[in-house]
Amino acid sequence: MAATVGMLAQQTSSLAGYISPSKDLKFADIPNGLGALKAVPIEGWVQMVVVIGMHEILIKQREGKPPGDFGTGYFGFPVEEGSEKQKAGLNAEISNGRLAMLGILGMFASEIVHGGEVLAEVKDLA
């Protein structure tokens, strides 16, 4: 879901400043979508991998609990284990995650078809 929201956000806004001051590379110089894969310097990718790796190492799942249960509940509100509310929430999360995967794949396809511009077909509607 974060990828879908991120793809839409980068079409409408960009951060000010430098992504790599040593290479004089600004955020505005980085293309949106798949084009960013080639434009971000290797040092930036290494930083992202290290941060994600540290998160995987430091944040542990609770023993004996289902995958993804870190004991935080939903937005910090605890939910009773095995309740109908928990089951409904988990099913909604799985469905929304699947839909978001289809959404990001559709955006990637749109970007490839339209030469780097996501959702170009709806631009004329505005």
Side-chain angles (χ1 to χ4, degrees):
M1 224 176 292
T4 304
V5 172
M7 185 74 105
L8 293 173
Q10 68 184 333
Q11 297 298 317
T12 59
S13 60
S14 178
L15 295 173
Y18 289 88
I19 188 170
S20 177
S22 63
K23 295 186 178 182
D24 197 35
L25 185 62
K26 296 182 180 181
F27 283 105
D29 300 333
I30 304 294
N32 294 336
L34 296 173
L37 294 173
K38 294 178 184 173
V40 175
I42 189 68
E43 295 87 354
W45 289 110
V46 169
Q47 289 176 5
M48 288 184 254
V49 168
V50 167
V51 168
I52 292 169
M54 293 304 295
H55 180 272
E56 290 290 326
I57 291 170
L58 297 175
I59 306 297
K60 298 292 183 193
Q61 184 166 318
R62 298 190 309 168
E63 291 293 325
K65 297 294 180 180
D69 186 350
F70 296 98
T72 56
Y74 295 103
F75 296 106
F77 297 105
V79 177
E80 185 179 322
E81 190 72 34
S83 68
E84 288 301 316
K85 183 178 180 181
Q86 182 190 35
K87 289 177 186 174
L90 291 173
N91 285 333
E93 187 173 344
I94 289 170
S95 296
N96 290 339
R98 289 176 179 156
L99 185 60
M101 284 187 260
L102 290 174
I104 194 66
L105 290 174
M107 288 181 198
F108 287 158
S110 174
E111 184 177 350
I112 291 168
V113 167
H114 297 291
E117 190 172 355
V118 175
L119 301 176
E121 57 274 3
V122 297
K123 193 181 239 184
D124 297 332
L125 298 176

